[in-house]
Amino acid sequence: MINSKLPKIWYGGDYNPDQWPREIWQEDMRLFKLAHIDVASLPIFSWSLLQPEEERYEFGWLDEMLDLMAKNGVYACLATSTATHPAWMAHRYPDVLRVDFQGRKRRFGIRHNSCPNSPTYRYYSRRLASKLAERYKNHPALVAWHVSNEYGGSCYCENCTRAFRVWLQTRYGSLDEVNERWNTRFWGHTFYDWEEIVPPNILSEHLSESDPTRTAFQGISLDYQRFMSDSLLQCYIEEYQAIKEHTPDVMVTTNFMGTYKPLNYFAWAPYLDIISWDNYPSNKTDMSTIALRHDLMRGLKEGQPFMLMEQTPSTQNWQPHNGLKRPGVMRLWSYQAVAHGADTIMFFQLRRSRGACEKFHGAVISHAGHEHTRVFRECAELGKELVELGDALLDSRIHARVALLFDWENWWALEFSSGPTVDLKYLPQIEKYYRACWNQNIPVDLISPAMDMDKYDIVIAPVAYLLQPGYAEKVEEFVSQGGTFLTTFFSGIVDDNDRAVLGGYPGELRKVTGIWAEEIDALFPDMRNAIVISEAFPELAGNHVVGLMCDLIHAETAEVVGTYATDFYAGRPALTRNRFGQGWAWYVASDPEQGFVDRLVRYLCSEKGITPILETPVGIEVTERHKDGQTFTFVLNHNADSIEIDLGTDRFRDLLTGKELTGKVKLGGRDLLILRLQA
Amino acid sequence: MINSKLPKIWYGGDYNPDQWPREIWQEDMRLFKLAHIDVASLPIFSWSLLQPEEERYEFGWLDEMLDLMAKNGVYACLATSTATHPAWMAHRYPDVLRVDFQGRKRRFGIRHNSCPNSPTYRYYSRRLASKLAERYKNHPALVAWHVSNEYGGSCYCENCTRAFRVWLQTRYGSLDEVNERWNTRFWGHTFYDWEEIVPPNILSEHLSESDPTRTAFQGISLDYQRFMSDSLLQCYIEEYQAIKEHTPDVMVTTNFMGTYKPLNYFAWAPYLDIISWDNYPSNKTDMSTIALRHDLMRGLKEGQPFMLMEQTPSTQNWQPHNGLKRPGVMRLWSYQAVAHGADTIMFFQLRRSRGACEKFHGAVISHAGHEHTRVFRECAELGKELVELGDALLDSRIHARVALLFDWENWWALEFSSGPTVDLKYLPQIEKYYRACWNQNIPVDLISPAMDMDKYDIVIAPVAYLLQPGYAEKVEEFVSQGGTFLTTFFSGIVDDNDRAVLGGYPGELRKVTGIWAEEIDALFPDMRNAIVISEAFPELAGNHVVGLMCDLIHAETAEVVGTYATDFYAGRPALTRNRFGQGWAWYVASDPEQGFVDRLVRYLCSEKGITPILETPVGIEVTERHKDGQTFTFVLNHNADSIEIDLGTDRFRDLLTGKELTGKVKLGGRDLLILRLQA
Amino acid sequence: MINSKLPKIWYGGDYNPDQWPREIWQEDMRLFKLAHIDVASLPIFSWSLLQPEEERYEFGWLDEMLDLMAKNGVYACLATSTATHPAWMAHRYPDVLRVDFQGRKRRFGIRHNSCPNSPTYRYYSRRLASKLAERYKNHPALVAWHVSNEYGGSCYCENCTRAFRVWLQTRYGSLDEVNERWNTRFWGHTFYDWEEIVPPNILSEHLSESDPTRTAFQGISLDYQRFMSDSLLQCYIEEYQAIKEHTPDVMVTTNFMGTYKPLNYFAWAPYLDIISWDNYPSNKTDMSTIALRHDLMRGLKEGQPFMLMEQTPSTQNWQPHNGLKRPGVMRLWSYQAVAHGADTIMFFQLRRSRGACEKFHGAVISHAGHEHTRVFRECAELGKELVELGDALLDSRIHARVALLFDWENWWALEFSSGPTVDLKYLPQIEKYYRACWNQNIPVDLISPAMDMDKYDIVIAPVAYLLQPGYAEKVEEFVSQGGTFLTTFFSGIVDDNDRAVLGGYPGELRKVTGIWAEEIDALFPDMRNAIVISEAFPELAGNHVVGLMCDLIHAETAEVVGTYATDFYAGRPALTRNRFGQGWAWYVASDPEQGFVDRLVRYLCSEKGITPILETPVGIEVTERHKDGQTFTFVLNHNADSIEIDLGTDRFRDLLTGKELTGKVKLGGRDLLILRLQA
């Protein structure tokens, strides 16, 4: 996908020359060269400069900048600048301003501040994108389009209210159907006229000022979440189309934010030519969680390489505590992105802003303004390496035999519900099963419920609370053909309108799992139970602590693998597997600690002959990318200290050092290898 | 009181057939029979179905349901459905929508959402109640009326503002009197025109977004609380009157919520024919606290049996952690209600809703939809027992010689005040003195300040901060006639407008207690003092830790029983008793730990010859109900394990098993006895 | 300054006779005499009484009161009563009501509730002040004017919005300049019309409902803070001028609140004839922190004595836990104020209000209403002592050789910024360096950045994040002349519009400190590092724990005194000093524990020959006031128990007891000495 003008791992990032005088522009070109920076994203937030009045556009400064970049070998990831409307627009057309969750009309300020259903915003954002595309369609610097920035948030204004009613009409056809889907007979909420429907926020159905997930009516809140994700998507699509009219062959993206809850990125992905995303872990984020986010982004377009659009070279500013990335970490995490499928390494930001919100966010060029800093040196060294790597890794792919189901709608619904416990959150469950694979260097794909399962040996679907229509059938087909499916407690509970299944949980998954969950116990935070597994399963045997929730299940056709250790349901099934056709469907009825999940996943994998890419000590991450019959093995040492790795009997060449390696090798702290198997 | 159509402990609960198709109605009748369910509350939230348009009412489906119930021996606790206005009404008549504490006009959503002073709401709610009463007055299924549902919340709209001014005019006559009562010269708040008075909320007198009790002007906030309780009561009364016009002989109730702060249930009680309430403890709620709530509900109508209108058969959904009721707990807590004066056992809900807020709230019939569940079986077994019990216990009464003062207005005022400490809350003080009685199986009545004291030997009034007019005189009369009165620190401080007494605390109680509280010390959470009592009072002797607050008192006519152990007031009185006429008035100047309160209460009781109904091990609760010369002794084992109880030399028959029992008997975990003394 | 009518330490406080009937007035005069109270502040909150209608004023009751006071030897600190507008004014002229941070128009309630840019408020507050001044200009009781009360808070209404634009025009001249200063090119915030600028609050630039400091645009928020402080100041000035027209020779003040963040008291001070302030520590406030607040108030007018306008004689009501002042504490803290420069001791309040918010705030006269209380007795004893002290201490001054920089604008900016860590707060840093002096009885002046440094030997400027224009030059001059300057991590970062310096931190301080801070590391709360200092500096040698933030600095011309102990910057400079002309500039690159700051300050002082006034045990505070060649040494024992102090070989006379003292003397718990050196 990466534009042929620049056939290497792109290196650069967000750049805001409009904040700086001309002499700095020249100096920046010099510094970019020193750092081997070859791509800059701009202008991200320049709407007010590009369109200073309603009927006046000013592109001169941008012409100048782009020409300068072209002259200096810096390519442009050209942005449409529509993530903040101009102040004059807010003043003249208040419909661009959002109404917030508290029902308050906002005034001009911050960013990402436009109502997605504002006619003014829609019209002028599309017009700006169109003008930019028309003007720069043939510019030599142009390599990609960057629409708006980090779409997100929500609005509850009258325009959104009206658009929501239309969205409902389109989705459900009739008000009767809406009433049925939302179960509005509950609490006497039946609607007799579309006009009676108002957005679910703190003034209507929601219950907590501070936690927008606490809703009294899950049906309407779930649909409003879908609608809001769709509304923002429509903003994106309109710009996308405007651009494509002029540059049909230049790839278009917008930057995502990993596990960002409000937007269903799986629904967005088809409208992006390439996925790009912004990676902002804290210094305390688990390495496997960063890896998960990369894999989720890669999964959006079923394995197609993605762009690492933003990361900080050194520090962030908006976390509670913004520590520095320790020496080597920026390089290591950059390659971690590549190891999971990225084909670019880009920063926010190339030059640090002087004033306002992000002045303490790290940048390649600091406020000191020169190259004599640790951070610049590390950036320049990485830039040099990337030049040397050339196109070797470009467009290579990752092969996974294990898939993890990720469903934004399930996430929304699960956390909208009132009960059984406020401690149940979606991400920690996903992270736990992902980590089990990561801990043993087993590649995983993150897939949506709509995606194909058949290419995997194992599909894991933690807390699959909301089942999409037809999903259970796909599972049955997958398992009957020999696949291993694993799901957990509190799965198969509701349909896609959050209506509980009747007849017994886990509803449509009951047949394939062979169990019936009669009751669901929520544990207080200080309560624990355990799963007891006998020596009949030596790989799993023992007493394994569980908490959070316990499904009280009956094994109908399933085999009982483990039972509860205590409480009034001691001895009842806690872990089962069901033979279904050629495969097995597992059910984990509670929430075990990480150690047991690791063992369970290892067992399922070993049954399928799936083995780690490499057996490594703790803190070492190993992935593979494949291309043209070649395999590139990434061995990343997340530890601060050096460590010995056993590469086995094969002979490899390390792409970074050019050295040939085999057997036991020493890997420095926060260092890595990119190994190519030698003939 | 219980309707003669159904002379037994009613068994059933909330039922929402309007959420289900006709075939489920038939199935429900079958299941009700299996579970011996004989009463259903309905339709609780069906206003939008009953009145789909302003001038159209639809009763057909309800006719059908009630006929079906009658045919199947299920009686109706017929509800008026006015706890949620229809969406069309909110859309057409926005005056039904509340303005919240933050001053925001709400939009349609949730429930209990109607402004109590909305003319539209008043008119249509009364009209619906009237139509229902007229239509079903002779229906064979009708046994009781259930007005609205769980009245509560508050409103600050313009209609309420105007109604508040009228309420003030009625109560105080003149604006001068209002200024005087509220002490408006403070901070220059003098009002010269009724129009200047606005509701006390976060936009005017209140100080905290999150804590509505933090007010700058207690006088106005206290009156607004009274006004809001009265406004909601007026809504109830209007429906009550509408119903009584048609069915003067059918009892009418609305379901209360135990220690629900916003409504002064003592002021409401005269307008209910029978008290009913919803019992929703968490799995961590202290057993004595549940008992206290039952006793408070029983006390509202001075001992008349009440209805347990709602409880969950298994789990709730709105608590942070909604664990299951362990096997036996539903039955045990059902009988606990009866043991404290309930004549019905009813659930929310008979069939679990499919969608929206309460879909994870337990029900007799689960989403599985059949009888083959633990919960259904337990319900059915209890239903069978209740049939066998027949009318034996109906209308029996509890005799208590100890009374505990409970005053909603004191509760409000105490927590509105700024200082001496945010840690002072009313309920924990009430619970502590109640628990002292409960721990030793001594029956207690909860009484209002307006009720008669004379039938008691002991009256306990913890933190009687606000004294109602005339109350102190009643105390003097009571004590002078030989009664024992106990009050505690921070009592007798303000009048019923929260104006401090002048001349010395505890004001009107000073004479009877014989003490003067010169100063009040508030302790930091990590500070403790102790009450030291010498061997002159062997039953009380020792050093007893206290905290929270310490009144620095002078014994004027009182005898010093205990003194402070430390700090600059070491040696000064901490516990006193004052001989006043024939009785004693005790003053506990600080907040002792539970153990000492237990000892103190035991001592007061022993002086009056009040002894435990039965001496039992920890976790055993014993109560008595009396009727026609018979005594029914309830012995409830709240422990999970079986335990030995000594019944003494009397011979009893257990109503549940029919067995004759005497001396030491073994009582199973979470099991109970209902003993009738044998001749 | 103290009015010659009453040449002694004034003794009295806030008095609200308008809340009481006439017979209480007479009783109060009797009680004031008993307590030697000779000054009363009134009427603080009587606007609604003084102006009951728009065109009617009622001064009769005040005439009567003032005459009564004059007759009884009680002087008046006459207040203008404008801190709460009347309810009728709010009703008739809603422009007096504020719009809050959430954008909500407030309604009548609480106090300090007037919009500072309301034309109505400005007009009527000035008119009232003028009328009072005209009426009482020759009243014998008048000794001072007390304008309004505790100015504070903020407003975001349309009047303020317009006034803010005018304020900006005045300050910056052009919109281009505003755009430049606020760096509005960031996030595309460029303004093209003054009308586009809206106040920064939760509806525009601010990010947190609960924390008003979390802003997205520091430039606008910082200027709005300045504007709001100026707006309230303008309210004060208008009343001040109105008063001065009638009584040019009577001193005018308004009561400040110590380290109150919203108002830049240094900017206010020139407009007050004398500083007065309200001292409300909690019982857990560090003694040095109370001392710091006194010294800051004294510093506002460069050492001129101030008024202790309010303190509680016993307890407060608005703290979470309002414990009593232990016996002796009121007297001790009263003298502590004098020891730091106060020439009055005044209370809130003389008589406790009956009702509303402050009824539980302590007073000289309690609700009991008589003199037979501990608190009254302590007040009366102190009153007697003050009579005996006469004018001995009046107008004496404190001489400090150490100054601590205190800059409200730095405080605002530092906490508006996003990053590096939420744990960085200004006051704890100021308190830490102040405490280092206090712990060793070394006097300190608090100075503004505009004040003269030259009279000090040492100037300490903790986290001087925002540098005022020209300040660095003053530091260079000061150090070059031999002064010792110390600053810390995160200093010299931004200009007075919160724009980061370019070229290297600490910007303008780089030359004098001789260091360059390349990076700034923010530590998680559980992280620590240490400063290692060798035996080359024996007074400082050791490993000293640091946390919070670590600047990674280069010593350019500076000498490295200490280095980091650990992490990737181990061995790099952590404490430096730079020889600059005749003096030294120190840089503390991280946040050490108190113990090391104490040692460091002691070392700097010893280099300058600055020694403790007296070496004393822990808990003893020593200060000196000087006058006419005499020195008054205050020795305050904050310990509850008596302790031995060594006065050395000099001979002193204690002004309180008249005793002659020398050598070792025993000082009672919470007792004090005021020593005058004997010839």
Side-chain angles (χ1 to χ4, degrees), chain A residues 133-172:
Chain A
E134 186 178 15
R135 188 173 194 93
Y136 299 114
K137 62 186 170 193
N138 297 317
H139 199 285
L142 177 65
V143 287
W145 285 101
H146 177 301
V147 172
S148 194
N149 185 63
E150 294 184 346
Y151 281 102
S154 55
C155 179
Y156 301 86
C157 75
E158 283 307 303
N159 280 324
C160 286
T161 302
R162 282 188 285 271
F164 181 45
R165 292 173 190 146
V166 171
W167 184 93
L168 291 169
Q169 284 159 8
T170 306
R171 185 177 178 97
Y172 297 118

Side-chain angles (χ1 to χ4, degrees), chain B residues 446-461:
Chain B
L446 278 287
I447 63 173
S448 82
M451 285 178 182
D452 197 12
M453 293 182 183
D454 294 345
K455 57 181 171 175
Y456 301 102
D457 292 300
I458 299 173
V459 172
I460 300 174

